[in-house]
Amino acid sequence: GDGHYLLNSTMSVMTSHILGRSKVNYTDYTPLAILFGEAMTLMVRADSPVKSGRDVQQRLKSDPKSLSVAVGIAIGGTNHLAVGLVVGAMGIDVKQLKTVVFPANSNALTALLGGHVDLLSMSVAAAANAVQDGKLRIIGITTARRGEGLLAEIPTWKEQGLDVVFTNTRFMLGPKGLSPAQTAYWDAALERTVQSEEWKNDIQKKYLEPDYLGSKQSPQRLAEVYKQLRGALVDAGLAKE
């Protein structure tokens, strides 16, 4: 309950609650800010015959297990949910997908580069070096529109006819029951932070999406994220409706 301490949170606080792994949800804190989002991608090796989302859809429509998909860390994690949303929008049962889970993103990346899996779901930041070196090719990104630089060359899923927009949202939570004065203090401090040149440069360098919202707008956005995550986990057969 000490207003001097904040939680820099990932969406795992939500997925753990949805999956019943934790009784604690983001609503047990004071939402203070949405900080940024990480765009998620679906990637193949540069020499892969899969060129587009349509190629993926055609292959999986004929046989949902015809393409193996690598995800880092865990079933039900961000990488898994991102590919689940894309595949679900293609009209394919996510539960039938041949998903290969690795203990870390680096292991999943190595498996794709070695030709042991066909597809890789990962943030663009995590695989940027391999993409720039010409070893990997991104066939779709979960942003609403194309970005700049490296991101300008990547087609969105919306461009490819799929209604999928999803980011790995990062947000800041405070203790439950912060006073209006305490909330106002952190609003001012966090707003100064995201407006600084250092912050903006770091966001651009790491291919992150600036998406700052203060304490008044954050609860509604977090409720939307929670709803999307719950739907994706239900479709994946990991949570009950």
Side-chain angles (χ1 to χ4, degrees):
D2 189 335
H4 295 85
Y5 292 87
L6 304 184
L7 173 62
N8 184 10
S9 184
T10 67
M11 297 191 302
S12 61
V13 70
M14 298 182 181
T15 54
S16 293
H17 182 261
I18 295 167
L19 294 170
R21 296 172 181 166
S22 172
K23 294 182 179 179
V24 178
N25 195 11
Y26 76 95
T27 51
D28 294 300
Y29 301 88
T30 299
L32 290 176
I34 305 292
L35 296 176
F36 59 85
E38 288 181 290
M40 305 303 296
T41 65
L42 196 60
M43 290 173 280
V44 296
R45 289 201 342 167
D47 58 357
S48 171
V50 176
K51 304 296 183 184
S52 66
R54 182 178 294 275
D55 290 344
V56 174
Q57 186 173 19
Q58 289 176 343
R59 291 278 296 273
L60 295 180
K61 279 280 190 180
S62 62
D63 178 3
K65 297 188 181 299
S66 62
L67 294 171
S68 55
V69 185
V71 298
I73 303 177
I75 288 289
T78 305
N79 296 327
H80 182 221
L81 295 182
V83 72
L85 288 167
V86 172
V87 169
M90 291 177 175
I92 296 155
D93 185 354
V94 181
K95 296 185 289 293
Q96 298 298 316
L97 199 62
K98 186 177 181 180
T99 306
V100 186
V101 184
F102 292 87
N105 284 331
S106 57
N107 301 117
L109 182 61
T110 299
L112 180 66
L113 290 170
H116 305 293
V117 291
D118 301 303
L119 304 170
L120 171 63
S121 176
M122 186 182 285
S123 72
V124 64
N129 288 338
V131 173
Q132 290 172 323
D133 290 343
K135 297 176 181 179
L136 297 184
R137 183 161 34 84
I138 298 176
I139 60 175
I141 192 166
T142 59
T143 53
R145 61 192 65 84
R146 292 200 188 198
E148 300 176 354
L150 174 66
L151 305 184
E153 304 301 319
I154 305 170
T156 68
W157 291 115
K158 278 185 165 292
E159 287 179 60
Q160 301 181 67
L162 301 174
D163 188 17
V164 177
V165 176
F166 177 71
T167 61
N168 184 7
T169 303
R170 303 301 181 98
F171 47 98
M172 194 71 77
L173 301 172
K176 189 74 171 180
L178 285 185
S179 69
Q182 289 173 313
T183 302
Y185 172 88
W186 285 117
D187 266 335
L190 292 169
E191 187 169 355
R192 284 197 305 271
T193 300
V194 300
Q195 289 179 349
S196 69
E197 288 305 312
E198 184 179 3
W199 177 273
K200 292 176 181 178
N201 290 337
D202 202 50
I203 289 287
Q204 184 177 25
K205 179 182 177 181
K206 295 177 180 177
Y207 304 101
L208 303 173
E209 288 193 90
D211 191 24
Y212 175 73
L213 293 175
S215 63
K216 292 181 179 179
Q217 299 89 1
S218 293
Q220 180 178 346
R221 172 66 67 79
L222 291 176
E224 294 168 355
V225 172
Y226 186 92
K227 181 179 179 180
Q228 185 182 38
L229 291 173
R230 183 172 185 80
L233 287 166
V234 168
D235 288 346
L238 300 174
K240 296 180 180 179
E241 294 189 46

